[in-house]
Amino acid sequence: MKLSSQSSIFSVALSISMASAGVAIASEKTACSEASGVIAVVVERMPDFQASGIKPRMAVTRIGGAAGVALAYAEDDDWSDAETAPLVALRDTREPNENGQTISKEEAPGVIYGHAEELVEELRRKCPNVEIADLTSVAPGG
């Protein structure tokens, strides 16, 4: 009986400790760091549009997914609609337009790059201390 109660106490202590660690890890992520991470994903995935054998749709999906996560953080941090506009645009790039058509492989790099440039400008204004990947290194046609 005594072993069982000690085991229960240990389990509760372990659970509290793990929950505290999770809170600490979660609190390190911010809208600024997540939005900066979107730029890193754009830099990483932009070459996929020129590579043979790689489906650009996956690059658009990964960029959009990262933007969606960053958008959630930004909304939690009360960013304005204007501040979140580049994240919304990047998230929605993979969605069909009003005519039901999705972005073409040829259009995707320019559209994504343009939205990413807007996000970089917003990050420089709103998050001056966050590190931002060099977007110019993957400029379309550059």
Side-chain angles (χ1 to χ4, degrees):
M1 186 77 156
K2 191 167 194 136
L3 182 60
S4 176
S5 65
Q6 287 177 339
S7 178
S8 295
I9 291 170
F10 178 74
S11 295
V12 169
L14 182 61
S15 296
I16 291 170
S17 175
M18 289 174 64
S20 298
V23 168
I25 291 169
S27 68
E28 291 175 13
K29 294 191 179 220
T30 66
C32 290
S33 66
E34 290 297 308
S36 176
V38 173
I39 300 302
V41 173
V42 170
V43 169
E44 177 186 343
R45 292 291 159 203
M46 196 62 89
D48 291 355
F49 293 102
Q50 284 79 38
S52 62
I54 296 177
K55 298 201 182 294
R57 179 176 55 90
M58 292 309 299
V60 173
T61 299
R62 288 186 177 158
I63 292 165
V69 170
L71 178 61
Y73 276 94
E75 289 171 344
D76 285 351
D77 285 353
D78 295 321
W79 285 24
S80 71
D81 288 348
E83 292 167 333
T84 60
L87 290 170
V88 170
L90 285 165
R91 180 199 63 193
D92 294 347
T93 300
R94 62 187 171 192
E95 299 299 321
N97 63 20
E98 58 277 353
N99 299 327
Q101 304 212 342
T102 56
I103 192 168
S104 72
K105 178 181 178 178
E106 294 74 30
E107 294 174 306
V111 170
I112 290 170
Y113 190 84
H115 296 316
E117 282 183 313
E118 293 169 7
L119 180 56
V120 167
E121 289 174 25
E122 195 59 50
L123 281 166
R124 286 187 177 137
R125 188 190 66 68
K126 186 152 184 76
C127 311
N129 297 326
V130 72
E131 188 174 324
I132 305 169
D134 181 15
L135 185 62
T136 61
S137 66
V138 294

